[in-house]
């Protein structure tokens, strides 16, 4: 009940004309970046972050989070109308969404996508409302060893549970952690890895890296791919919306299952991509007519969209409660908090109640307003794709440069952005994942500080990470997850032997 | 009433040819990247070792944590190098075709020039030049449309960042002439 009272206080903080206008601006910009080829949630948020530098933190985070919701909604438009998944997690939406559009049911597919996005996000926001304060108050008891163990758990789960080749995830993560260490050492004040360069004294700002890795590299990749778009126009009428909503109760199991999968994979670093595919596959597996999937079945839109959006939203839970982002975009939002001098983590709930509850309230309101906005403006946003890419590409490059420069007012950062753009392009093409790199770059200094404080406290023994039940459990779990592919292989082998026995016997 | 029968068609005249020859294979690039990363790990590892990668009376020295990360990065790169050398099949996969490389360069080179021009003429002039020339040269869009779009976009950026949100961008002689 305390959470409910605080949430009402959050709405009171939020409901000012200024914040509501910023919310609308954020949503429109978000849908815009979601629809544009070569942009998406993470880079949209990173590029537009400088706009918020002069705002108070609450207004700023409301606008940024609304860019995020808008981008999530916008991604579905291109997936369904043009068969172009704006983000990797939108791939599963195209399986049934595009066939629906081809059958002249684009409006129905879009309504289903927006509604299920809303439902998925809503379930995750409810989870955040009631779980985040509990986790953060529990985490207040954490010391440096516990925090390092949680960071280790995050890193290890990326390596162990990621779909990419393990050595590539390790390369990506260790590179991110190393680059985070460039500049002045926060504990001793010594300079590290600067090689006499005064530009590197500041270190590498992760937002500059993100803009290059996601923004510039995406432009290079988009240019490389075929850009001839052929799609369907759609305007959504109230009749179609009400028709889809009337049928919603029929799909309550799918919606609930996908929400649960999404929340689970959002809190653990499984991610929205895994969530959308798992949601889709399970909907197909439990369907009475699995053959109809992929041919324009509305359930095939509901399932991945609900899961992906529940996951994307739930990724904000560990960010707020523990200061550990569950996704790339959550990492960028976390960077935003740090820019405004806020320290994400358990103390945020104690020291900045207005901010936290204003943000959570904005998640509710942003989703409602976002849903209405996209349902009423689809044709306008879809027509953005008529703008020639030769006009869009240089505008995105300029926006990226503005974003990169504004963070530290340094020309060097524009060059750095370009360098990271090339790195991102090459890494994406050879399968080195970028999410662990971003996460490591954001968390690097905090993880190192927690490690050093733990080691200083223990006199240099690693036993500190097993010094009590809590830290010991987290560290052990981290190691289990790191070696999960090996353990899973062994378990499967045991399972195979057990299954083989009756057959052979 | 939903108008799903209308079709939006956005054709791209510069779409790459399907049968364009390969410029370089993924395997070669992977080997090259792993060698570069290994060299980076060695350089950073040495620098951290020099800074101090052991323990003193106050605890771990500044280079302690990054030194071991360099070792992990070096190990990962070395493993990647061996894996790329062993994987013959993957070595044949195309990293980029000639047409794709041309298109990537068509955006990369102007971006590089944009960064260079920004340093001397400021961001807004560089933005105007980039957008106008890109639209005209790459997109083959009419000169008046290219110039107008570039001007309007640059003006919007100037008003939004420099005036409305007080985010000061790098300026050049043109802005100085107008007192900014």
């Amino acid at each position: 009940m305390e959470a409910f009272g605080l949430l009402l206080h959050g709405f009171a903080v939020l409901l000012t004309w200024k914040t509501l206008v910023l919310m609308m601006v954020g949503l429109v910009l978000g849908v815009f970046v979601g629809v544009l080829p070569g942009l998406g949630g993470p880079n949209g948020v990173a590029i537009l972050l400088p706009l918020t530098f002069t705002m108070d933190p609450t207004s700023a985070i409301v606008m940024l989070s609304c860019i995020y919701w808008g981008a999530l909604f916008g991604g579905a438009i291109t997936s369904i109308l043009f068969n172009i998944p704006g983000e990797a997690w939108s791939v599963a939406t195209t399986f049934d969404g595009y066939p629906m559009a081809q059958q002249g049911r684009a409006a129905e597919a879009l309504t289903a996508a927006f509604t299920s996005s809303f439902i998925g996000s809503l379930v995750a926001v409810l989870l955040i409302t009631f779980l985040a304060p509990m986790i953060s108050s529990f985490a207040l008891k954490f010391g440096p060893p516990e925090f390092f163990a949680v960071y280790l758990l995050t890193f290890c789960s990326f390596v162990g549970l990621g779909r990419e080749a393990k050595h590539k995830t390790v390369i990506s993560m260790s590179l991110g952690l190393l680059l985070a260490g460039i500049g002045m050492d926060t504990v001793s004040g010594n300079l590290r890895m600067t090689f006499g360069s005064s530009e590197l004294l500041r270190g590498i700002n992760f937002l500059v890296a993100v803009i290059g890795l996601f923004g510039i590299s995406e432009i290079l990749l988009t240019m490389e791919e075929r850009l001839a778009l052929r799609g369907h126009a759609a305007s959504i009428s109230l009749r179609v919306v009400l028709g889809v909503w009337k049928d919603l109760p029929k799909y309550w199991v799918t919606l609930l299952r996908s929400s649960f999968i999404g929340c689970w994979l959002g809190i653990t670093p499984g991610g929205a991509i895994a969530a959308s595919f798992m949601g889709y596959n399970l909907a197909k597996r439990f369907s009475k007519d699995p053959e109809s999937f992929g041919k324009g079945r509305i359930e095939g839109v509901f399932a991945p969209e609900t899961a992906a959006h529940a996951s994307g939203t739930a990724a904000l839970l560990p960010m707020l409660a523990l200061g550990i982002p569950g996704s790339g975009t959550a990492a960028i939002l976390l960077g935003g908090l740090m820019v405004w001098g806020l320290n994400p983590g358990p103390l945020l709930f104690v020291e900045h109640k207005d901010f936290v509850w204003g943000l959570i309230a904005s998640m509710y309101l942003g989703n409602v307003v976002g849903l209405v906005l996209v349902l009423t403006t689809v044709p306008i946003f879809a027509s953005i794709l008529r703008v020639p890419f030769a006009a869009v590409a240089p505008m995105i490059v300029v926006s990226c440069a503005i974003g990169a420069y504004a963070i530290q007012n340094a020309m060097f950062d524009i060059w750095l952005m370009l360098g990271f753009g090339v790195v991102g392009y090459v890494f994406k093409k050879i399968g080195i994942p970028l999410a662990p790199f971003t996460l490591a770059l954001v968390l690097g200094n905090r993880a190192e500080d927690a490690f050093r404080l733990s080691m200083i406290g223990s006199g240099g023994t690693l036993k500190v990470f097993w010094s009590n039940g809590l830290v010991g459990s987290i560290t052990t779990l981290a190691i289990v997850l790191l070696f999960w592919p090996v353990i899973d292989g062994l378990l499967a082998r045991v399972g195979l032997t057990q299954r083989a026995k009756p057959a052979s016997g | 009433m939903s108008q799903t029968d209308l079709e939006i068609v956005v054709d791209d005249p510069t779409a790459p040819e399907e049968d364009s020859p390969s410029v370089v294979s993924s395997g070669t690039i992977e080997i090259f990247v792993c060698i570069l990363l290994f060299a980076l790990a060695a350089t950073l590892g040495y620098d951290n070792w020099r800074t101090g990668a052991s323990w003193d009376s106050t605890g771990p020295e500044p280079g302690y944590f990054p030194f071991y990360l360099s070792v992990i990065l070096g190990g990962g790169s070395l493993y990647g190098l061996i894996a790329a050398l062993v994987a013959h099949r993957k070595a044949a996969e195309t990293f980029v075709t000639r047409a794709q490389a041309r298109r990537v360069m068509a955006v990369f080179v102007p971006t590089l020039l944009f960064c260079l021009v920004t340093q001397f003429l400021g961001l807004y002039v560089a933005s105007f030049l980039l957008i106008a020339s890109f639209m005209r040269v790459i997109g083959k869009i009419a000169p008046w449309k290219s110039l107008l779009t570039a001007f309007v976009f640059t003006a919007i950026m100037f008003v939004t960042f420099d005036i409305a949100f007080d985010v000061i961008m790098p300026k050049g002689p043109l802005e100085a002439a107008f007192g900014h």
Side-chain angles (χ1 to χ4, degrees), chain A residues 45-46 49 52-53 61 64 205-207 210 319 323 325 327-344 407 438 441-443 446:
Chain A
V45 174
L49 188 69
T52 65
F53 284 172
I61 195 75
L64 281 185
N205 189 291
F206 90 96
L207 287 165
V210 163
M319 182 200 92
S327 69
T329 315
I332 295 158
L333 287 176
L334 184 137
L337 300 192
M338 294 201 270
V339 168
W340 303 307
L342 299 170
N343 202 10
I407 294 157
T438 316
L441 205 53
V442 178
L443 294 180
R446 300 160 132 234

Side-chain angles (χ1 to χ4, degrees), chain A residues 46-51 53 199 202 205-209 211-212 216 339 396-418, chain B residues 114-115 118-124 127 161-162 166-172:
Chain A
I47 291 165
L48 296 165
L49 188 69
L51 282 179
F53 284 172
E199 298 285 3
R202 289 186 302 267
N205 189 291
F206 90 96
L207 287 165
V208 175
I211 292 171
I216 298 293
V339 168
I396 295 175
V397 168
V398 171
S399 308
C400 288
I402 289 174
Y405 179 86
I407 294 157
Q408 299 184 109
N409 287 333
M411 186 60 215
F412 178 71
D413 284 350
I414 294 185
W415 288 107
L416 212 54
M417 169 203 79
L418 187 65
Chain B
F114 161 75
C115 294
T118 301
Q119 202 142 13
F120 301 104
L121 298 180
L123 190 127
Y124 296 112
S127 303
F161 285 92
D162 263 75
D166 222 9
V167 184
I168 308 301
M169 290 292 132
K171 310 253 180 21

Side-chain angles (χ1 to χ4, degrees), chain B residues 30-107:
Chain B
E30 219 166 310
I31 290 167
F32 180 68
V33 168
C34 285
I35 292 171
L36 271 183
L37 285 171
F38 186 77
L40 180 73
T43 312
L44 296 181
Y46 170 74
D47 192 64
N48 285 307
W49 181 262
R50 203 179 46 78
T51 311
S54 54
W55 278 71
D56 63 12
S57 54
T58 58
E61 289 180 327
Y64 182 88
F65 196 70
F67 174 76
Y68 286 100
L69 286 170
S70 308
V71 172
I72 296 171
L73 177 64
S77 320
L78 207 59
Y79 181 90
L81 181 65
I82 295 164
L85 287 169
V86 170
H88 294 292
R89 193 159 47 86
K90 201 173 176 197
E93 276 177 29
T94 299
F95 178 79
V96 68
T97 64
R98 194 177 294 165
Q100 286 174 332
R102 208 166 40 229
R103 288 167 63 86
V104 170
M105 282 299 141
V107 72

Side-chain angles (χ1 to χ4, degrees), chain A residues 51 54 104 168 178 188 192-193 220 223 225 227-229 231 233 385 390 395 398 405-406 411 415 429 448 460, chain B residues 3-4 6-8 10 12 30 47 55 62 65-66 79 95 103 107 112 115 119 127 134 139 149 165 167-168 170:
Chain A
L51 282 179
T54 50
K168 289 183 178 174
L178 264 171
S188 66
R192 303 186 300 187
M193 300 176 275
L220 297 176
M223 271 298 277
E225 288 161 10
L227 286 166
L229 309 173
L385 288 163
M395 288 180 196
V398 171
Y405 179 86
M411 186 60 215
W415 288 107
K429 292 212 76 176
E448 185 183 352
Chain B
Q3 301 161 359
T4 50
L6 292 172
E7 204 179 32
I8 297 176
V10 185
D12 174 22
E30 219 166 310
D47 192 64
W55 278 71
F65 196 70
Y79 181 90
F95 178 79
R103 288 167 63 86
V107 72
L112 189 75
C115 294
Q119 202 142 13
S127 303
F134 199 92
T149 310
F165 286 91
V167 184
I168 308 301

Side-chain angles (χ1 to χ4, degrees), chain A residues 217 220-221 224 421-429, chain B residues 95-96 104:
Chain A
S217 76
L220 297 176
L221 281 168
E224 185 192 288
V422 176
V423 170
Y425 170 75
V426 175
F427 275 20
K428 277 179 191 170
K429 292 212 76 176
Chain B
F95 178 79
V96 68
V104 170

Side-chain angles (χ1 to χ4, degrees), chain A residues 193-256:
Chain A
M193 300 176 275
T194 56
F195 302 98
S197 159
S198 56
E199 298 285 3
L200 287 174
L201 280 178
R202 289 186 302 267
I204 292 178
N205 189 291
F206 90 96
L207 287 165
V208 175
V210 163
I211 292 171
L213 288 171
F214 292 93
I216 298 293
S217 76
E218 221 26 72
I219 287 290
L220 297 176
L221 281 168
T222 311
M223 271 298 277
E224 185 192 288
E225 288 161 10
R226 201 167 63 87
L227 286 166
L229 309 173
R230 195 168 284 272
H232 299 267
S235 62
I236 301 175
S237 68
L238 188 64
R239 190 177 54 82
V240 175
V241 174
L242 293 177
V244 173
W245 287 1
K246 198 181 77 184
D247 288 343
L248 271 180
K250 275 195 229 166
Y251 305 105
W252 71 273
V253 178
T254 304
L255 293 168
L256 203 65

